Amino acid sequence: MKIMTAIKRVPDYNLRVRPLPDQLQVDLRNVKMSINPFCEIAVEEAVRIKERGIASEVIAVSIGEDACKEQIRVALAIGADRGIFVKTNAEIQPLASAKILYALYRQEQPDLVILGKQSIDGDNNQTGQMLAGLAGLPQGTFASAVTFAEGAVTVTREVDVGLETIKLTLPAVITADLRLNTPRYLTLPNIMRARKKEMTTIALDSLNVDVTPKIELLGVASPTQRQPCTFVNDAVELVDKLTNEARVL
Amino acid sequence: MATLIIADCENNQLAPTTGSVISAAQEIGGDIDLFVSGHDTNDIVSNAQSIAGVRKVWVAEGEEYAHPLAESLTPLVVNLAPQYTHILASASTFGKNLLPRIAAVLDMAVVSDVCKIIAPHVYERYCYAGNILATVKNHSAIQVLTIRTTAFSHAEKKAPSSASTESISSDSINEQSRFMGIETHQSDRPDLTIANTVIAGGRGLGSKENFSIIETLAHKLNAAIGASRAAVDAGYAPNDWQVGQTGKVVAPKLYIAIGISGAIQHTAGMKDSQVIVAINKDADAPIFQAADYGLVADLFKVLPQFIELLAAR
Ligand SMILES: Cc1cc2nc3c(=O)[nH]c(=O)nc-3n(C[C@H](O)[C@H](O)[C@H](O)COP(=O)(O)OP(=O)(O)OC[C@H]3O[C@@H](n4cnc5c(N)ncnc54)[C@H](O)[C@@H]3O)c2cc1C
């Protein structure tokens, strides 16, 4: 079995990003960038499936500027076998990402595509489902467990009413939720080994995909701030404030 | 203009947040039709018909729709799509699973988690874990949107059953995906996404047994129970209680965060609550920056007293 994973370069999850003074764009100058946590989980899962002897090859794809190669190297250090870097300076929105991944899907013909369920910059939660729709594949979104038997994959999904289990034929698209696994720490030997692994660069133009953004960003703002917190000394005072001041009890 | 709302019918009933999606559609303007699906849809349909403002209810009934599989529902909605300018669903796991798939087949973009309608093509939404409020204009011919239901009134107005109904089916049979089972946490607490009060516990509770004090407090206040990711990861609480960037978004009148540090990924899911209370033993915990009232204390000392005071009221 061949697995394709997709990874995105995003601001580190510990950061609080802010609007630029012109309020038209987010300020990403001098911001530490990392692999999107959900994508890291997706790669980890693919590598574990390979380590269980179910898959034979794991490919890691990223789309964007040259710097994205750093995140592909992270995926290779986790244990992916080779990288595909789709080079573009254009803004790539979820539908465009899905189209690019679909083009690569047709080239590579993987049995499984694993993505993160959302990226922590746009918080869109769309690309995996869109890829599945374009390719006409079944989808197992928000996965917290994945098992294989007889040409099918069983996916446990974190849904609003609990944990849902569905069975999908292969090939299929899976999107990773947080509790699917805990990604391994990268060891120095693995980081060194990753440097020698194959990484192909593909020019976006060569894929013949329409990536025109359909969504226009008109402006960005910081959410409104609350009044500073009023500290109370004990439960008695808390009940009093909530009853008589906030009137919520 | 005409809006098609794909109603979340999980559990064989109209989700309580449906009213909020209808409110959003009313702000957009134009006719509003509802798409419902299920195995036995009698109750769902009569409920849907009695919501004021609904023109028509499309009904997909059959065993294959007993659970909302995206592979089964997509062809049905794609067939209806050309009649509509807007296709909406709640930004629940149901809507987020389904709408992007439909949109991709239609070659349309999706605006996720819309929290304000500014014009029929212009919306506000949060991104970057709630740190950025973005205003976006969607240039797609059909506007596909998931709605952050806490940002719109969910009070449905009832009307005498006036909406017409029409059944729909599809020639394509879904042989790709099959529902195997669902594990739900039975609880007599109100639904987290529409509750007036939410009591949320974090890693500070220390164990599943200790977490029961959150349940006792929630019971006293007729509140829903929420949890931080750390509390869910540690097994103190089930996954569907998780509040945050990647869990549920809530905006009750009162949110009490207990033993929760207040990471941005958590506050992204509760910062629009009306009144926020934080109880934490660490005076520097970031949760106090998101709170209106703070109590710096050991939760195991103050909660029993808090519960007693509430009982004595
Ligand atoms: C991609 C990503 C997505 C995420 N999504 C979410 C999400 O949706 N929701 C979410 O909640 N988190 C999410 N997280 C995790 C988040 O970053 C935090 O790790 C998490 O919220 C911490 O949970 P906590 O506050 O319960 O635990 P901790 O940060 O460990 O805080 C425990 C708190 O309890 C207090 N405490 C301990 N003992 C006591 C006591 N006896 N009395 C009073 N106070 C006490 C401590 O002072 C501390 O402040 C996400 C993380 C990532 C990377």
Side-chain angles (χ1 to χ4, degrees):
Chain A
M1 175 154 81
K2 186 166 160 180
I3 306 178
M4 184 164 104
T5 62
I7 51 185
K8 189 171 183 189
R9 176 182 168 88
V10 297
D12 192 87
Y13 76 91
N14 285 307
L15 299 173
R16 280 173 196 261
V17 299
R18 294 199 160 72
L20 281 168
D22 66 5
Q23 301 237 311
L24 291 175
Q25 292 286 338
V26 176
D27 187 356
L28 295 178
R29 295 168 304 177
N30 306 317
V31 162
K32 183 181 174 231
M33 303 294 279
S34 305
I35 184 169
N36 177 42
F38 292 96
C39 302
E40 188 180 9
I41 294 170
V43 175
E44 174 70 34
E45 193 64 17
V47 171
R48 287 189 191 185
I49 294 167
K50 186 184 168 191
E51 287 168 351
R52 294 208 300 267
I54 300 165
S56 51
E57 190 185 23
V58 176
I59 309 166
V61 180
S62 192
I63 307 162
E65 298 175 2
D66 274 317
C68 293
K69 287 189 200 164
E70 287 169 32
Q71 279 64 48
I72 298 181
R73 289 287 169 213
V74 172
L76 297 175
I78 293 171
D81 298 291
R82 65 183 165 96
I84 300 177
F85 167 51
V86 181
K87 186 178 158 77
T88 174
N89 292 332
E91 186 200 345
I92 301 296
Q93 296 183 345
L95 183 59
S97 298
K99 288 180 182 177
I100 294 168
L101 293 172
Y102 179 40
L104 295 176
Y105 169 81
R106 278 174 297 180
Q107 284 180 9
E108 294 289 340
Q109 312 252 317
D111 304 282
L112 192 65
V113 186
I114 314 183
L115 305 86
K117 80 163 180 181
Q118 80 191 62
S119 61
I120 60 165
D121 49 0
D123 280 337
N124 284 304
N125 195 334
Q126 298 175 5
T127 306
Q129 297 87 310
M130 288 181 155
L131 170 63
L134 293 174
L137 297 177
Q139 65 189 50
T141 52
F142 329 140
S144 66
V146 173
T147 55
F148 297 87
E150 295 148 25
V153 56
T154 301
V155 181
T156 304
R157 306 179 56 229
E158 296 216 4
V159 293
D160 287 345
V161 289
L163 292 171
E164 182 192 74
T165 305
I166 56 173
K167 196 170 178 179
L168 311 175
T169 55
L170 291 172
V173 175
I174 288 173
T175 74
D177 213 322
L178 288 174
R179 278 173 281 274
L180 183 55
N181 61 53
T182 307
R184 68 197 66 188
Y185 286 105
L186 299 185
T187 61
L188 194 57
N190 283 340
I191 293 171
M192 300 303 284
R193 224 168 279 144
R195 288 195 193 156
K196 298 204 188 76
K197 289 183 180 173
E198 178 192 330
M199 191 185 324
T200 327
T201 299
I202 298 182
L204 176 60
D205 296 343
S206 73
L207 292 175
N208 268 324
V209 229
D210 176 13
V211 297
T212 321
K214 291 181 192 273
I215 293 180
E216 181 189 353
L217 185 61
L218 299 181
V220 291
S222 293
T224 41
Q225 290 291 315
R226 254 169 217 272
Q227 297 295 317
C229 180
T230 303
F231 284 94
V232 296
N233 291 309
D234 52 29
V236 176
E237 203 184 332
L238 182 60
V239 171
D240 176 57
K241 290 274 188 208
L242 294 181
T243 311
N244 300 315
E245 193 176 273
R247 298 179 187 277
V248 285
L249 281 187
Chain B
M1 276 195 302
T3 296
L4 178 64
I5 295 175
I6 316 301
D8 183 341
C9 304
E10 220 147 9
N11 284 342
N12 219 26
Q13 60 187 34
L14 266 190
T17 48
T18 308
S20 303
V21 187
I22 291 178
S23 298
Q26 282 168 335
E27 286 186 29
I28 291 166
D31 294 321
I32 300 171
D33 294 352
L34 226 56
F35 171 98
V36 302
S37 61
H39 178 31
D40 169 12
T41 55
N42 281 341
D43 287 354
I44 299 175
V45 172
S46 58
N47 265 335
Q49 274 184 304
S50 68
I51 303 173
V54 175
R55 176 182 65 172
K56 176 173 190 166
V57 183
W58 295 101
V59 187
E61 183 173 282
E63 216 166 321
E64 63 271 39
Y65 307 121
H67 301 280
L69 292 167
E71 296 77 8
S72 305
L73 296 177
T74 298
L76 299 174
V77 180
V78 166
N79 280 339
L80 296 175
Q83 307 174 33
Y84 295 96
T85 55
H86 291 71
I87 300 178
L88 270 57
S90 64
S92 57
T93 50
F94 166 83
K96 286 179 170 169
N97 180 52
L98 182 59
L99 254 53
R101 184 181 179 99
I102 293 168
V105 175
L106 296 167
D107 195 26
M108 303 293 158
V110 179
V111 183
S112 296
D113 249 316
V114 168
C115 61
K116 194 169 177 186
I117 315 277
I118 299 196
H121 300 85
V122 182
Y123 317 98
E124 270 182 15
R125 62 178 300 267
Y126 286 107
C127 46
Y128 291 90
N131 281 315
I132 297 286
L133 184 60
T135 308
V136 297
K137 181 172 186 178
N138 183 355
H139 292 274
S140 294
I142 302 177
Q143 300 282 310
V144 184
L145 317 173
T146 61
I147 301 297
R148 177 172 285 202
T149 51
T150 52
F152 296 88
S153 156
H154 70 257
E156 300 169 358
K157 283 192 218 72
K158 294 281 171 202
S161 300
S162 53
S164 63
T165 65
E166 186 172 336
S167 325
I168 35 168
S169 56
S170 163
D171 306 331
S172 55
I173 303 162
N174 168 23
E175 284 170 342
Q176 294 184 316
S177 62
R178 200 144 49 91
F179 173 85
M180 305 297 284
I182 192 147
E183 200 184 297
T184 49
H185 184 88
Q186 289 306 326
S187 162
D188 51 3
R189 302 263 50 86
D191 189 294
L192 186 53
T193 51
I194 55 163
N196 278 326
T197 307
V198 173
I199 313 294
R203 185 165 19 216
L205 269 299
S207 72
K208 192 174 167 118
E209 292 67 45
N210 291 346
F211 204 89
S212 64
I213 194 161
I214 298 290
E215 293 171 47
T216 310
L217 178 55
H219 189 74
K220 277 273 166 319
L221 291 172
N222 191 28
I225 307 172
S228 70
R229 173 194 171 186
V232 176
D233 284 0
Y236 307 168
N239 72 288
D240 45 307
W241 289 0
Q242 182 173 315
V243 170
Q245 180 187 20
T246 55
K248 284 184 176 141
V249 175
V250 301
K253 289 205 176 77
L254 173 63
Y255 188 92
I256 309 186
I258 300 166
I260 291 178
S261 62
I264 48 170
Q265 291 85 9
H266 185 79
T267 56
M270 47 63 91
K271 67 183 168 48
D272 287 333
S273 307
Q274 261 172 48
V275 174
I276 298 175
V277 174
I279 301 176
N280 196 304
K281 68 177 180 190
D282 173 9
D284 294 326
I287 191 69
F288 292 119
Q289 289 161 29
D292 301 293
Y293 296 100
L295 176 50
V296 180
D298 183 338
L299 69 93
F300 298 109
K301 294 217 174 86
V302 297
L303 283 192
Q305 198 195 355
F306 189 39
I307 291 166
E308 222 170 89
L309 288 167
L310 292 171
R313 278 183 316 152

